[in-house]
Amino acid sequence: MAHVGIIMGSTSDWETMRHAADVLDALGVDHETRVVSAHRTPQRLYDYASGAAARGIRVIIAGAGGAAHLPGMAASMTHLPVLGVPVESKALNGMDSLLSIVQMPGGIPVGTLAIGKAGATNAGLLAAAILALGDAGLEARLKAWRQAQTDGVADAPQ
């Protein structure tokens, strides 16, 4: 059973969103990935978001570019935490996506991450941290991952 759902507005968003999946894979967190467009597949979005909790999903990571309605619309249809990843757009370098996701009205929260790869990576880590609150094994793997990151930083330039 997947505990994290990674959704994106189009297949072209996978280049960014795969970084969330990579982190979850490295931490041993079960996840699923789906293309769910807020504008082109609204029924698919409704079915996915409204049924996610019943299927065992605990956190949704939603990546979208441009108007970036996917994270907010998903959040409006579920009580689960939704983490929004602004996908870098060609027109405005992802600023349009960022502003669309971060400007949610009070009452419908979306945790908004950085634009692009860094945001997707951090969304995977944040989803794992949320799940680790109730999973000691995942907590230990997350701590080990962070320690390995720390240990990988050189003491001096080479």
Side-chain angles (χ1 to χ4, degrees):
M1 169 184 8
H3 289 100
V4 177
I6 302 173
I7 59 175
M8 61 211 81
S10 69
T11 57
S12 63
D13 296 339
W14 179 241
E15 182 58 33
T16 296
M17 299 308 294
R18 70 180 176 83
H19 299 287
D22 290 346
V23 167
L24 294 171
D25 285 338
L27 293 170
V29 176
D30 294 328
H31 60 279
E32 63 184 26
T33 57
R34 300 284 186 277
V35 174
V36 180
S37 171
H39 301 113
R40 292 168 293 165
T41 63
Q43 187 63 50
R44 188 184 305 174
L45 168 59
Y46 175 81
D47 293 343
Y48 186 88
S50 64
R55 290 191 336 275
I57 297 294
R58 305 286 306 276
V59 179
I60 295 173
I61 299 172
H69 288 107
L70 181 60
M73 290 300 297
S76 76
M77 298 175 196
T78 184
H79 67 279
L80 298 173
V82 175
L83 307 177
V85 177
V87 174
E88 188 171 349
S89 60
K90 292 179 183 171
L92 297 172
N93 299 319
M95 284 301 295
D96 49 345
S97 312
L98 173 66
L99 294 174
S100 292
I101 298 171
V102 81
Q103 291 296 325
M104 287 300 297
I108 308 293
V110 173
T112 308
L113 285 298
I115 297 168
K117 177 183 176 181
T121 298
N122 285 341
L125 289 168
L126 186 54
I130 292 167
L131 294 174
L133 292 171
D135 182 335
L138 178 54
E139 179 183 12
R141 293 191 305 276
L142 185 57
K143 286 179 177 180
W145 190 94
R146 299 221 20 197
Q147 186 61 51
Q149 178 178 291
T150 298
D151 295 344
V153 176
D155 289 333
Q158 302 187 359

